[in-house]
Amino acid sequence: MTDSYMPHADQLKSFPDSLPVPGAQAFADAALNLYDNHFPFPLAVLNHRPLAHNLHWMQDYVQKKGISIAPHGKTTMSPELFRKQLDAGAWGLTFATVFQVKAGIEAGAKRFIIANQVVCDADLASLHGLLTKHQDVRVWFLVDSLAQVDYIEAWAARQGKPIRFDCLIEVGVEGQRTGCRDFEQAIGLARRIHGSPTLTLGGIECYEGGLATDTDKDKPAVDALMKRCDDIARACDREQLFEGEEIIMSAGGSAIFDLVVPGLKIGLDKPVRGILRSGCYITHDHGVYRKHLAKVEEREQLRESLQPALEVWTMVQSVPEPGLALLTCGKRDISYDLTLPFVTGYAPIGARARQAPAPDWHIAALNDQHAYLRFDPAGGQPVVGDRIILGISHPCTTFDKWKWMPVVDEQGQARSFITTRF
């Protein structure tokens, strides 16, 4: 982490006032600790050990499978975490928008997949500007229609100079998101791109995450999708519609990523680079992805896999009636789009280690700035000033609520911090 990433301290929610200049070295030297209440609460926290474990585990997984990973950066939008993923061996990074690519360039990445269609004039101009300024950077975006090709070519023609963009054909699923719905549409699009003065076809892409049900239906559904990608890729290869030294085959959300792996390793005339795009693995979660991963572990016969690394620390601010405590955390601080948060830990006033909460403690509701902790008043009761630690479901929508997060060890000591670019 370098100080070039640091915004002004006044812009950082829950950053300690004792450090008006949030430099990396000053932060480390301050020896800040969660258990000493050196930070205002709520505070989103990255736990060092599971974070490091997840980085290593996923990189080891893709290497053993003979594929690459370009983690989806929209999860964290953090240059510091992108740098860790690249240092661990990531081939490149994935994003959803041209704007997001800028954060990846800030982290030093050179290869990007924009797993989305680019159609806006301003985005096309911005992408062209980035590629012109950073000539060692390469970006592939998704194309799924002749109309999109026509739009991009018309924009390029108005610029009055030669412009080339790399692209991937997206294969979609009926009733779901973007992507070509059948073979004929995809191969017709590939032929059109091959003759385009503006676009260069680099490979085939799909997204299988919408097929995840955690049932026996998942594998046949994903196999059918990957078979369609295979058929399209082989047809394009036979007609020599791909350009470049290698062909990209890319898929992989964070739920059922193991099921797409065989379809990323097909044999064509040119070398094929299979690229997984999972993003949430870096912190995992305590909810939806933990549930999905249990199925991955079962299918892959894994003894260990990803670990939850992201939590939000809160404080009890009021116990207004028996069985109810109000916490200093709300929708502005923690994800709530898939499930409510989970109570994962408890640190009473003065404690210097976390304890397991009572089994009945649970978050029943969230307001903008409050969480409702319900509990059996006949059992253990939290008091004002206790720290309650919350796990999350779906890390993407917790990261986007924070401009920074400390990375802490098991003793609550803040070792470093990351920033985000939402």
Side-chain angles (χ1 to χ4, degrees):
M1 181 172 64
T2 68
D3 288 357
S4 64
Y5 296 152
M6 306 304 175
H8 193 276
D10 289 344
Q11 301 172 349
L12 302 177
K13 176 174 63 177
S14 296
F15 199 89
D17 287 340
S18 59
L19 288 175
V21 180
Q25 190 58 53
F27 184 84
D29 291 344
L32 303 169
N33 196 289
L34 292 170
Y35 294 110
D36 291 329
N37 292 345
H38 287 153
F39 299 95
F41 298 123
L43 181 65
V45 167
L46 295 174
N47 294 300
H48 172 76
R49 179 170 289 184
L51 184 72
H53 167 85
N54 292 346
L55 283 163
H56 172 78
W57 186 91
M58 183 57 87
Q59 195 62 45
D60 184 62
Y61 178 85
V62 296
Q63 287 175 349
K64 287 178 179 177
K65 297 294 184 180
I67 57 175
S68 300
I69 188 166
H72 209 315
K74 71 178 177 63
T75 298
T76 70
M77 284 302 295
S78 171
E80 295 88 355
L81 293 180
F82 297 158
R83 187 68 257 163
K84 290 180 181 293
Q85 290 170 309
L86 293 166
D87 288 345
W91 171 86
L93 296 171
T94 298
F95 290 103
T97 68
V98 176
F99 166 77
Q100 292 173 353
V101 170
K102 297 175 185 178
I105 291 175
E106 180 182 347
K110 303 299 182 185
R111 292 184 288 254
F112 300 92
I113 294 174
I114 297 179
N116 211 350
Q117 282 66 34
V118 177
V119 290
C120 174
D121 291 17
D123 278 339
L124 292 166
S126 180
L127 179 57
H128 178 60
L130 286 175
L131 295 172
T132 300
K133 181 179 180 181
H134 304 279
Q135 297 195 10
D136 56 345
V137 165
R138 194 157 182 199
V139 179
W140 291 260
F141 61 78
L142 306 188
V143 176
D144 72 347
S145 70
L146 297 176
Q148 184 189 359
V149 176
D150 292 342
Y151 189 102
I152 293 169
E153 288 181 347
W155 173 86
R158 293 195 299 272
Q159 310 313 303
K161 56 187 175 183
I163 293 176
R164 297 288 290 186
F165 292 123
D166 290 307
C167 68
L168 307 173
I169 286 180
E170 181 176 23
V171 179
V173 176
E174 188 72 29
Q176 295 196 9
R177 288 187 345 197
T178 49
C180 296
R181 290 331 200 216
D182 56 49
F183 176 88
E184 287 74 19
Q185 181 188 4
I187 196 65
L189 181 59
R191 290 166 182 156
R192 175 73 171 80
I193 293 170
H194 185 65
S196 171
T198 306
L199 295 172
T200 298
L201 183 58
I204 305 295
E205 182 274 352
C206 71
Y207 172 67
E208 81 296 338
L211 300 172
T213 64
D214 293 327
T215 70
D216 292 340
K217 297 178 181 179
D218 290 358
K219 187 177 188 308
V222 174
D223 286 349
L225 174 61
M226 299 310 294
K227 177 63 164 57
R228 290 173 56 214
C229 292
D230 185 287
D231 291 343
I232 294 163
R234 292 185 188 281
C236 291
D237 190 44
R238 285 193 298 271
E239 295 188 31
Q240 299 184 343
L241 302 179
F242 293 121
E243 301 182 49
E245 295 180 357
E246 64 180 13
I247 299 166
I248 291 174
M249 293 290 292
S250 180
S254 298
I256 49 176
F257 56 85
D258 61 308
L259 296 179
V260 304
V261 170
L264 301 180
K265 301 193 294 180
I266 68 174
L268 301 175
D269 284 345
K270 291 182 178 180
V272 174
R273 181 174 293 276
I275 301 176
L276 202 65
R277 302 192 311 274
S278 308
C280 294
Y281 77 87
I282 190 166
T283 62
H284 196 43
D285 75 3
H286 298 83
V288 62
Y289 287 118
R290 192 172 198 171
K291 179 181 176 183
H292 288 314
L293 193 68
K295 293 294 184 180
V296 176
E297 292 170 346
E298 182 181 321
R299 289 190 295 264
E300 296 276 278
Q301 298 183 327
L302 300 173
R303 283 186 292 181
E304 67 167 5
S305 58
L306 302 173
Q307 302 171 1
L310 173 58
E311 294 176 311
V312 176
W313 281 56
T314 71
M315 183 173 280
V316 177
Q317 69 179 74
S318 177
V319 186
E321 62 187 58
L324 173 64
L326 276 299
L327 311 182
T328 58
C329 172
K331 293 180 180 179
R332 303 289 175 88
D333 312 302
I334 197 167
S335 55
Y336 60 93
D337 55 325
L338 296 182
T339 74
L340 289 169
F342 305 88
V343 181
T344 56
Y346 166 54
I349 296 173
R352 297 199 58 79
R354 65 192 291 160
Q355 302 176 14
D360 64 289
W361 287 16
H362 66 281
I363 302 300
L366 291 174
N367 297 149
D368 287 355
Q369 306 285 173
H370 297 94
Y372 292 67
L373 173 64
R374 295 286 182 178
F375 57 91
D376 181 356
Q381 178 168 318
V383 300
V384 172
D386 286 347
R387 284 72 51 92
I388 308 296
I389 306 165
L390 302 180
I392 55 101
S393 184
H394 193 204
C396 297
T397 51
T398 293
F399 269 101
D400 68 6
K401 294 169 174 53
W402 294 87
K403 293 183 178 180
W404 82 290
M405 295 180 187
V407 180
V408 303
D409 63 22
E410 292 173 304
Q411 287 73 47
Q413 196 76 17
R415 302 173 55 153
S416 62
F417 70 94
I418 63 97
T419 58
T420 67
R421 297 293 181 273
F422 289 101

